[in-house]
Amino acid sequence: MITRDRIVQTFLDLVGIDSPSGEEDAIAGELEHRLRALGLQAVQDAAGNVLARLEGAGAPVLLSAHMDTVEPGRGIKPRWDGPDIIRSDGTTILGADNKAGCAVILEVLQSLIEDGGPHRTVEVAVSRGEEVGLVGAANMDYSRITARVAIVIDSGGPPSSIQGQAPYHYVYDIEVHGRSAHAGLEPEKGIPAVTIAAEIVAGLPQGRLDDETTGNVGIIRGGLVRNAVPDYCLVQGEFRSMVEEKAETLARSARRHIETVQARHPGARIEASIRMAYPGYRLEPGDPAADLLYPVLRSLGFEPNPHPVGGGTDGNVFRGHGIAAVVIGRGGYNQHTKDEYLVVPEMLDCARVVEAAVRTLPA
C-alpha cells in the first residue's frame, strides 16, 4: 500500500540531492540505483534519462517525471510548516517540481511489488533538462518505450488538476551578420547588425496576442564595444498558441518579415531558424489517457479538472511521438519560486491515483 512516511522520506532524500538543469548526474545515479533495488530493469539512455520497466499484464503504461530543478536549487533545506506542508527555508526553491513526481513513481512501484496482484506493465521515464526546453524528452531513446499511454506527474495542485490543453510552441534563433567599422572615424563603412536586428524585433510577435496566443523576444545579444559598429547580433525568442494554425501563421509571418528586412539590407546576411519545439494538444473525449485516468479519479472521489496551461511539459513531446499523455498534479504549489511548497496529503492522493490507474487492466 501507499505509505505516507516512506514517500515523504523518499521525497526528502531526493530533495537533498542538488540537480539543477545540466547537473543531474548524481540524482540520475540515485534514481537508477533505487529502481534496480526494486528489481526493475533500469538504464540511462544516451541523453542521460533514466528508463526502467516492471513487467505486468496487459498494455503497458508509462509513468514519467523529470529529475532536474530550477535555480536557486542548491543546498535545499526543507522544513515542516504544520503537519502536512513542506517548504524550503526561504533561500531556495523546494524542488517539489519535480522531486515529488519522482517520489510518487518510486512509491507506486514499491507498493505494486509489495502488495502483489495484477497490474499493467509499467515503463518509467525520468527525464533530464525538462526545465530548459524539454531537452531530455526530446532526445529520449523511444526504442525502449512501448507504452502508448503515459501519466506525466508534473503539474501543480491535487491529482484531479489536469493539464487539459497545452500550446504549440515555436522557437527561433536569428543571427544578423553585418560589418564592423570604427564608429567615430568611418561609421559609413560599417553595416550595423544591432540596428538591423532591431528592425527584425520590431516586427516579431510579442506579448499576449489573443486568449490563446503569446509571443516573446527573450534574448538580444550583440556588439563588443561602444565605439565600433557591431558586426553581429543574435535574437532568440518564441511564440505559442493553443491553435496549431495560429502558431503556423506566426511562423510564416515571421519568415516573411525577416525576408523583407534582408531585402532592405543587401550587404548584411541574416540567418534565421524558426521551428516547432513541441506540438500542442487538447484532451478530447475518447483520448486514451483521459479514458484511463478519469474513471480512476472518479472512483476515488475526485472530479477531473482539465484546464489549459500556457507552458509545455514532457507530455507534449510524448504526444509528438504517438504516446497519449496526461499531466496530473502532485501536490506542489508556487513552483519556480522560493515560496514553493508541497501539500503531503495531495502527494499521497497522487500516488494512490497513479497506482489505481496502473492496476486498471484493459477489458
Side-chain angles (χ1 to χ4, degrees), residues 27-47:
I27 190 67
E30 177 68 14
L31 291 168
E32 186 179 3
H33 169 74
R34 286 177 179 251
L35 289 165
R36 287 183 173 177
L38 290 172
L40 277 70
Q41 309 162 33
V43 298
Q44 292 187 45
D45 66 10

Side-chain angles (χ1 to χ4, degrees), residues 205-259:
Q206 298 184 57
R208 178 162 296 282
L209 307 176
D210 59 37
D211 290 343
E212 302 173 310
T213 312
T214 61
N216 186 58
V217 177
I219 296 173
I220 302 174
R221 187 179 298 129
L224 297 174
V225 294
R226 72 176 67 218
N227 61 347
V229 175
D231 64 354
Y232 177 81
C233 189
L234 170 68
V235 178
Q236 294 177 308
E238 63 163 39
F239 36 86
R240 310 175 186 225
S241 182
M242 297 294 183
V243 180
E244 183 175 11
E245 292 76 11
K246 290 183 179 181
E248 291 174 347
T249 297
L250 288 176
R252 289 194 297 269
S253 176
R255 292 187 184 102
R256 287 196 299 268
H257 170 61
I258 293 167
E259 291 170 357

Side-chain angles (χ1 to χ4, degrees), residues 32 49 79 119 129 168 192 224:
E32 186 179 3
N49 303 301
R79 62 178 180 84
H119 61 77
Y168 294 83
L224 297 174

Side-chain angles (χ1 to χ4, degrees), residues 287-306:
D287 183 274
D291 286 351
L292 170 64
L293 185 67
Y294 286 11
V296 169
L297 283 166
R298 292 187 176 108
S299 72
L300 294 175
F302 299 102
E303 183 58 32
N305 178 28

Side-chain angles (χ1 to χ4, degrees), residues 171-177 193-194 196-205 216-222 232-239 250-251 253-259 261-262 269-275:
V171 296
Y172 55 79
D173 302 281
I174 304 167
E175 295 180 278
V176 181
H177 301 269
V194 169
I196 297 168
E199 292 183 36
I200 295 173
V201 168
L204 293 174
N216 186 58
V217 177
I219 296 173
I220 302 174
R221 187 179 298 129
Y232 177 81
C233 189
L234 170 68
V235 178
Q236 294 177 308
E238 63 163 39
F239 36 86
L250 288 176
S253 176
R255 292 187 184 102
R256 287 196 299 268
H257 170 61
I258 293 167
E259 291 170 357
V261 175
Q262 174 70 86
R269 177 166 52 90
I270 302 173
E271 298 176 343
S273 170
I274 302 174
R275 60 203 180 276

Side-chain angles (χ1 to χ4, degrees), residues 92-107:
T92 67
I93 61 164
L94 174 62
D97 179 13
N98 195 18
K99 302 292 177 64
C102 297
V104 165
I105 291 174
L106 291 170
E107 180 64 24

